[in-house]
Amino acid sequence: MSEKLIEVVDDAGIVRLTINRPKALNALNSAVIGELERVLVELEGRDDLRAVLITGAGEKAFVAGADIAEMRDKTPEQARDFARQALATFKRLETLPVPTVALVNGFCLGGGCELALACDWAVASDNAVFGQPEVQLGVIPGFGGTQRLPRRVGPAMALDLCTTGRKIDAAEALRIGLVNGVMAQGELEAHAEELTKQLGGNGPQAMRAAKQAIHDGMDQDLDSALALENALFAFCFAGEEQTEGMNAFVEKRKPNF
Ligand code: DAK
């Protein structure tokens, strides 16, 4: 039987997804994107979902981009449809109600960088290489890069990266705010386990509320966004989670969420 294109490992609601096409540096073809979409639709329906971590198989690449060989002969209509499928899939990832983290373990180029940008944040191994090199292939980013990259790193840096196509190392990615942290490649797994423990120990509804407040609030003026926070803060007091969390503090024990 063939290997799964997306490996799914579930640790009590903290789900690790691994793009599994290492021989092609995990390049995103329609089959990988279709499988990612299928997995995300399943995750959307889960009330017990707490967080999603996403990485690439092997030690060389997170994702080296959209599959160039597959894209090469596309007509404009086919290209538009391919990009629409990926845009819709990345939107599903972005709007999952739980924290999502890209664990970038190597090349993170083109569609790979766009995949990382659709996550809430990214951490990288020190051998990671980032870039939007599409102009070197005669196209522009098609999976959201021209829109999510400037929102993450600012328009000037996004224009630099999208028009020069230059590649940057993990240290520069950290400096410009493309990633939240950089570590030795051997430490990435330990970091993933630490994240799993940290996120697994927090109130799941509270994490969802924090994500909703930040995501939805960013699209609103400050006063409306503060009102949104206020409503979500009050909502947290309507469930058992707040009672357990605060009782645990007072009783000097760990909460059991
Ligand atoms: N697509 C397909 N195959 C890829 C690939 C990719 N993006 N990247 C690597 N591979 C394959 C290589 O062809 C090679 O396959 P074999 O020859 O072994 O069969 C295998 O992975 C190993 O790669 P290399 O031999 O090249 O490994 P190196 O260490 O020498 O180089 C590299 C690693 C990452 C520097 C190099 O592979 C590379 O430059 N890859 C391409 C990086 C890139 O340009 N990425 C951006 C892709 S374009 C749109 C839709 C989408 C997009 C744009 C528009 N519309 C529909 C409008 C998005 C575009 C992109 O993402």
Side-chain angles (χ1 to χ4, degrees):
M1 215 168 95
S2 62
E3 301 250 306
K4 287 189 171 163
L5 289 172
I6 309 285
E7 279 178 7
V8 181
V9 175
D10 188 341
D11 183 350
I14 313 271
V15 174
R16 179 111 56 113
L17 305 181
T18 303
I19 313 281
N20 188 26
R21 238 196 126 200
K23 284 187 187 145
L25 304 189
N26 303 317
L28 302 173
N29 59 14
S30 336
V32 172
I33 291 167
E35 184 58 11
L36 180 60
E37 180 166 37
R38 192 191 64 72
V39 168
L40 290 171
V41 168
E42 259 182 40
L43 294 180
E44 280 169 358
R46 283 184 49 180
D47 292 337
D48 65 333
L49 189 67
R50 289 178 178 232
V52 173
L53 312 181
I54 185 160
T55 193
E59 297 194 338
K60 203 168 160 185
F62 173 67
V63 167
D67 190 309
I68 299 167
E70 191 189 76
M71 271 191 302
R72 184 170 55 158
D73 296 323
K74 285 196 189 303
T75 64
E77 291 73 26
Q78 290 167 334
R80 186 191 54 213
D81 290 347
F82 175 55
R84 276 189 183 158
Q85 183 198 14
L87 282 171
T89 301
F90 287 15
K91 189 75 189 170
R92 285 188 189 282
L93 176 62
E94 184 173 51
T95 56
L96 279 178
V98 298
T100 55
V101 186
L103 302 167
V104 178
N105 56 322
F107 287 112
C108 182
L109 300 171
C113 195
E114 293 167 297
L115 179 64
L117 286 165
C119 294
D120 292 329
W121 76 89
V123 293
S125 57
D126 53 10
N127 67 333
V129 175
F130 296 80
Q132 297 287 169
E134 288 86 348
V135 284
Q136 295 167 356
L137 299 165
V139 296
I140 64 168
F143 297 171
T146 64
Q147 304 310 311
R148 292 195 178 98
L149 187 61
R151 284 165 171 77
R152 179 111 6 136
V153 303
M157 185 54 76
L159 269 157
D160 169 349
L161 294 174
C162 290
T163 59
T164 64
R166 73 184 175 91
K167 298 182 178 71
I168 61 173
D169 62 15
E172 185 167 3
L174 181 64
R175 186 178 61 72
I176 67 174
L178 183 51
V179 299
N180 284 17
V182 175
M183 60 211 70
Q185 187 163 39
E187 288 169 20
L188 205 58
E189 180 54 34
H191 182 74
E193 282 166 21
E194 180 60 29
L195 260 181
T196 300
K197 210 190 289 173
Q198 264 177 359
L199 297 171
N202 295 338
Q205 295 308 324
M207 289 196 298
R208 286 175 180 236
K211 175 162 179 171
Q212 190 188 341
I214 291 171
H215 272 248
D216 293 357
M218 292 287 287
D219 295 330
Q220 301 177 14
D221 66 85
L222 184 60
D223 285 342
S224 310
L226 290 170
L228 171 68
E229 182 195 81
N230 187 248
L232 286 164
F233 178 70
F235 176 74
C236 289
F237 284 73
E240 291 166 9
E241 220 174 89
Q242 169 265 339
T243 310
E244 168 60 10
M246 295 192 179
N247 280 346
F249 177 82
V250 172
E251 293 161 15
K252 300 191 187 305
R253 61 175 174 82
K254 281 203 165 136
N256 182 18
F257 291 121

